[in-house]
Amino acid sequence: MSGDLGPRVAISAAQLFVAQYPDVDLLLVGNESLLLPSVSKHKSYSARLSVLHAAEVVAMSDDPLFALRHKKGSSMWLSLEQLRGGKVDACVSAGNTGALLAMSKFLVKTFPGVDRPAICKPMPVDMGLTYMLDLGANINCTAGQLHQFAQMGNVLSKAGGVVSPRVALLNIGSEEQKGTEVLQLARQLMINDSRINYSGFVEASAIFSGVVDVIVCDGFHGNIALKASEGVARFAQEKMFKIAHKNALNKFLSTLAWPLLRQMRRELDPSSYNGASLLGLQKPVIKSHGNANINAFLQALIVAREQVVRQIPLLIQKEFQLN
Amino acid sequence: MSGDLGPRVAISAAQLFVAQYPDVDLLLVGNESLLLPSVSKHKSYSARLSVLHAAEVVAMSDDPLFALRHKKGSSMWLSLEQLRGGKVDACVSAGNTGALLAMSKFLVKTFPGVDRPAICKPMPVDMGLTYMLDLGANINCTAGQLHQFAQMGNVLSKAGGVVSPRVALLNIGSEEQKGTEVLQLARQLMINDSRINYSGFVEASAIFSGVVDVIVCDGFHGNIALKASEGVARFAQEKMFKIAHKNALNKFLSTLAWPLLRQMRRELDPSSYNGASLLGLQKPVIKSHGNANINAFLQALIVAREQVVRQIPLLIQKEFQLN
């Protein structure tokens, strides 16, 4: 029901998703007077799209603790209740991140040994993906928590087919004496952990270079890196559009080269990389970007399905049982 | 003498610079057996290019304190001595940032009231520029130091023609209760400062959106935002290049649209935005990116000239005398 562009984005993405993945059923949780007509319109998939009514919505501006205490009739709460009860296998939301975290921790719970869930996203690199966490769930982290994030990112990267993921800590230089005390302690924990292929400190430029498979950081640093990246991507897209329309010659050239420019725009589109996992929870909860368009929300749904198919929560549980 | 690509980049940029700006003379400090031949080759400008021999170089890997103590014959040290003694008006280096900061603090000194110099760079936005500081000089900052950075950024933006610069604090959300204790204290200092047009917290996506004129942060956060941005820009450029060369059709189309693609590449080229100021020092010291190419190093020289013409250090001194 939430997201900056309203529920229509989620509904359209849901329809595309069930069309694309015949092994998936979807439960849409929200205002049924809005959801039912859109579902019944698409007869071919209507058996696989059902609706659960929720009278309330968590607003983007709601304080997370307020939402946790007072919005038990919201679409977010009811969705997570369905997940906890085993009625669904994963939950996707484009809503208030803080509220989603608070409600998920309360209803879905983290595994024993996991202090806090971390927000994790695959970042595009030339070959494959680099997983980055935490992207904003935890402002301050202890070295032990950063080590837990490393373990979870390691599991996710392995499940994606990387045999021995290179795991790095985000810092402002790659020299081993650099950074804060917390980073120095986290470094030591990772060196001592034989299950992690620790690859040292990396600067934020490494996020998109593919030199490592997992980048670990606290939520403040991760959020800054993520938002700065999105800002540059948007700036570049707008700049390219402006140049293409600057004058008659450019317009003509961009018409000629349109198939090329379309490929560039599509590959550089940040919405292709939507869908952040709240790792450490006992079941998959996926956060879509608040301003996701239909394609971006579809990507978040695909991430949710992947987490179920790859049994990510089970793998994380097993990893932490070894500790 | 330094920089990842060696002194040839600086020498070529120096020649372009004196050709472009008839009001500037340049002193090249470094190994004269390398510098003299290149200077004498260009007879038309040789009167405005002189050489000061330095036997040593600060290596990129040198510890800043080691360099400060033991590299008093280096090109970096001698350049800053020339600056301190008034023989030159500004100093530009592509070398070791930590050493440049340490030597600048020792030789050039900050103004009374300025605890620490901050690294400041103009970031490209659609219209004009957004100044961001600190980009990596200070890992941990007090609220008072962030407030000083705000004052310096404010001066720089005003000198660039903005009448009442909108000054913001970098945070992981724009809501006023968000962020760390230091950020909350800094916010209060900025609200109470009538000389600053405080515009609230901004997320890192605002760096490139032009919603504010100055963004203040500690060096750790600033460095992450800057490096992440550079990483995305490089990723986008490589992706565009790959797509343009993917197959025969794309190669043909990119040849047709070459003037358009060249404009896009040039406008999105991070090297157009090279040249970071070490604000708070009594004279202009400019840090060029270590991997700057000729065009990028030229930009850093242009920034240095601008700081002299606009009398930035004097303006900062006056601002702090009002405190």
Side-chain angles (χ1 to χ4, degrees), chain B:
Chain B
M1 286 304 293
S2 197
D4 305 344
L5 308 172
R8 273 171 213 294
V9 168
I11 295 168
S12 302
Q15 285 156 357
L16 287 173
F17 184 57
V18 289
Q20 211 167 313
Y21 292 94
D23 56 354
V24 177
D25 293 347
L26 269 182
L27 176 67
L28 308 179
V29 185
N31 185 337
E32 64 183 5
S33 67
L34 204 106
L35 297 176
L36 280 175
S38 358
V39 169
S40 53
K41 223 172 28 186
H42 293 258
K43 294 232 164 60
S44 40
Y45 307 121
S46 57
R48 293 168 47 213
L49 284 172
S50 42
V51 170
L52 174 68
H53 181 65
E56 274 184 302
V57 178
V58 174
M60 288 309 233
S61 57
D62 278 348
D63 177 74
L65 289 180
F66 173 85
L68 184 64
R69 281 186 203 131
H70 303 290
K71 294 252 172 138
K72 298 205 163 92
S74 65
S75 49
M76 191 182 276
W77 181 277
L78 294 184
S79 303
L80 292 167
E81 262 191 348
Q82 294 290 308
L83 182 62
R84 179 179 66 172
K87 306 274 174 59
V88 296
D89 295 306
C91 173
V92 179
S93 168
N96 184 319
T97 309
L100 186 65
L101 269 163
M103 288 184 179
S104 298
K105 275 194 268 191
F106 185 81
L107 288 170
V108 185
K109 297 202 167 46
T110 55
F111 285 117
V114 178
D115 287 3
R116 302 168 173 186
I119 300 178
C120 180
K121 240 181 106 163
M123 312 298 275
V125 296
D126 191 31
M127 307 287 267
L129 296 165
T130 294
Y131 288 99
M132 189 163 170
L133 71 167
D134 172 35
L135 294 173
N138 310 288
I139 292 193
N140 287 308
C141 295
T142 63
Q145 284 159 352
L146 292 176
H147 179 222
Q148 291 173 13
F149 298 168
Q151 293 181 285
M152 297 195 285
N154 195 39
V155 166
L156 202 57
S157 184
K158 276 185 181 169
V162 180
V163 177
S164 177
R166 296 156 297 176
V167 182
L169 281 164
L170 184 66
N171 201 339
I172 61 167
S174 52
E175 302 86 346
E176 60 180 37
Q177 80 283 2
K178 280 226 170 161
T180 60
E181 205 178 318
V182 169
L183 281 172
Q184 285 296 329
L185 279 169
R187 174 180 170 270
Q188 212 49 59
L189 289 174
M190 296 194 21
I191 289 173
N192 295 342
D193 184 344
S194 60
R195 301 206 301 279
I196 287 178
N197 174 14
Y198 176 64
S199 305
F201 290 135
V202 292
E203 293 187 302
S205 51
I207 300 169
F208 304 92
S209 73
V211 290
V212 293
D213 303 296
V214 178
I215 297 181
V216 173
C217 54
D218 73 32
F220 204 102
H221 300 155
N223 191 271
I224 286 176
L226 181 71
K227 296 280 166 68
S229 312
E230 288 172 356
V232 174
R234 204 174 307 122
F235 173 77
Q237 286 213 321
E238 285 167 10
K239 202 84 182 174
M240 283 172 73
F241 183 86
K242 278 209 170 168
I243 292 169
H245 293 78
K246 203 166 88 178
N247 52 41
L249 175 64
N250 282 11
K251 278 183 202 163
F252 174 69
L253 290 175
S254 56
T255 309
L256 276 184
W258 184 73
L260 186 70
L261 294 176
R262 192 186 45 173
Q263 282 173 58
M264 289 178 176
R265 211 183 51 207
R266 196 185 295 159
E267 292 241 22
L268 298 177
D269 182 4
S271 71
S272 318
Y273 309 100
N274 190 38
S277 316
L278 271 51
L279 286 189
L281 293 169
Q282 299 192 10
K283 308 217 169 170
V285 177
I286 306 300
K287 171 69 176 71
S288 161
H289 205 297
N291 66 12
N293 59 22
I294 295 170
N295 178 51
F297 202 95
L298 175 62
Q299 294 307 316
L301 292 168
I302 292 171
V303 170
R305 179 184 170 278
E306 202 178 73
Q307 297 255 314
V308 175
V309 171
R310 292 184 177 167
Q311 301 188 291
I312 300 297
L314 181 70
L315 294 174
I316 289 178
Q317 181 180 28
K318 282 186 179 167
E319 180 70 25
F320 279 83
Q321 281 168 348
L322 294 175
N323 284 353

Side-chain angles (χ1 to χ4, degrees), chain A residues 25-46:
Chain A
D25 293 346
L26 268 182
L27 177 66
L28 308 180
V29 185
N31 185 337
E32 64 182 4
S33 68
L34 204 106
L35 297 176
L36 280 175
S38 357
V39 168
S40 53
K41 221 169 34 183
H42 293 258
K43 293 233 164 60
S44 40
Y45 307 122
S46 58

Side-chain angles (χ1 to χ4, degrees), chain A residues 126 203 227 239 242 267, chain B residues 126 203 227 239 242:
Chain A
D126 192 31
E203 293 186 302
K227 295 281 167 67
K239 202 84 182 173
K242 278 211 169 168
E267 293 240 21
Chain B
D126 191 31
E203 293 187 302
K227 296 280 166 68
K239 202 84 182 174
K242 278 209 170 168

